[in-house]
Amino acid sequence: MKEHDCLVSYTSYVQINEESQFLNKRIIALPQLSYQKQHKNNYIGNLTGIYNAQELGKIYSPNIRKRQDWALWLEAIQRSGKPACGIQKDLAYYRVREESMSSNKVKLLKYNFKFYKEFLGYSYLKSSYWLIRFLFEYFFVRTKYIENY
């Protein structure tokens, strides 16, 4: 982090299954992640994120049912006043479970809406707009940072 003058950083990672077998999928960290980009979609794999608590102070995950990690990293980037640094090196394995809480993406949409509406305090209309932006980012932009090998 010091080498790149970053207060918030995160890394690329690879996915494995419940038996620790590689799924041949790599999630690539963006070289820089602005507050605006993170606002559209959660690009930081929570298992790889780190922030400088001495500089930014302690940041606690909010007491919301889901999307706490998204909220935490959004707050960290905002406090830092500059983009998070993405380290391209794979420094973690993310275990994908078939029956996990995050496996049903349709169910998670309501939590994304609630993130905008309740956590960020946006109106119904503004939250709806940002949910549409989230979907666009998820299906058309974020896929560029997923590498199948």
Side-chain angles (χ1 to χ4, degrees):
M1 288 174 68
K2 288 181 181 178
E3 185 179 309
H4 297 284
D5 190 32
C6 294
L7 297 175
V8 180
S9 67
Y10 67 110
T11 73
S12 299
Y13 59 93
V14 295
Q15 293 183 344
I16 59 174
N17 66 16
E18 294 176 272
E19 290 79 37
S20 299
Q21 298 167 322
F22 288 98
L23 295 175
N24 299 324
K25 191 177 277 191
R26 177 176 185 244
I27 311 303
I28 303 166
L30 283 69
Q32 288 197 334
L33 178 63
S34 68
Y35 177 87
Q36 293 79 11
K37 186 76 166 171
Q38 178 70 359
H39 185 269
K40 294 176 189 174
N41 203 291
N42 186 13
Y43 280 91
I44 298 178
N46 200 40
L47 69 166
T48 71
I50 189 169
Y51 69 91
N52 185 326
Q54 272 187 317
E55 293 288 327
L56 302 180
K58 180 71 174 154
I59 302 172
Y60 295 94
S61 294
N63 188 19
I64 55 179
R65 176 124 168 90
K66 291 189 172 57
R67 300 302 192 227
Q68 308 90 330
D69 57 335
W70 190 6
L72 182 139
W73 296 117
L74 196 61
E75 172 74 16
I77 294 169
Q78 184 177 40
R79 281 192 197 184
S80 76
K82 54 186 170 181
C85 296
I87 298 167
Q88 304 302 300
K89 195 171 184 181
D90 302 332
L91 296 181
Y93 297 113
Y94 180 80
R95 188 176 311 276
V96 177
R97 298 184 188 273
E98 287 186 34
E99 299 299 320
S100 72
M101 287 173 48
S102 59
S103 64
N104 187 332
K105 299 302 182 195
V106 174
K107 273 188 175 178
L108 288 177
L109 285 178
K110 77 176 182 180
Y111 291 104
N112 290 2
F113 180 82
K114 286 176 82 169
F115 175 78
Y116 290 118
K117 178 96 172 68
E118 295 173 13
F119 180 72
L120 294 177
Y122 293 168
S123 68
Y124 184 87
L125 188 60
K126 190 172 182 178
S127 298
S128 298
Y129 167 80
W130 280 104
L131 182 60
I132 291 167
R133 291 287 309 261
F134 170 89
L135 290 169
F136 178 82
E137 196 82 9
Y138 185 84
F139 287 110
F140 298 107
V141 179
R142 191 175 173 147
T143 54
K144 296 175 188 170
Y145 302 101
I146 299 172
E147 179 181 272
N148 294 307
Y149 59 92

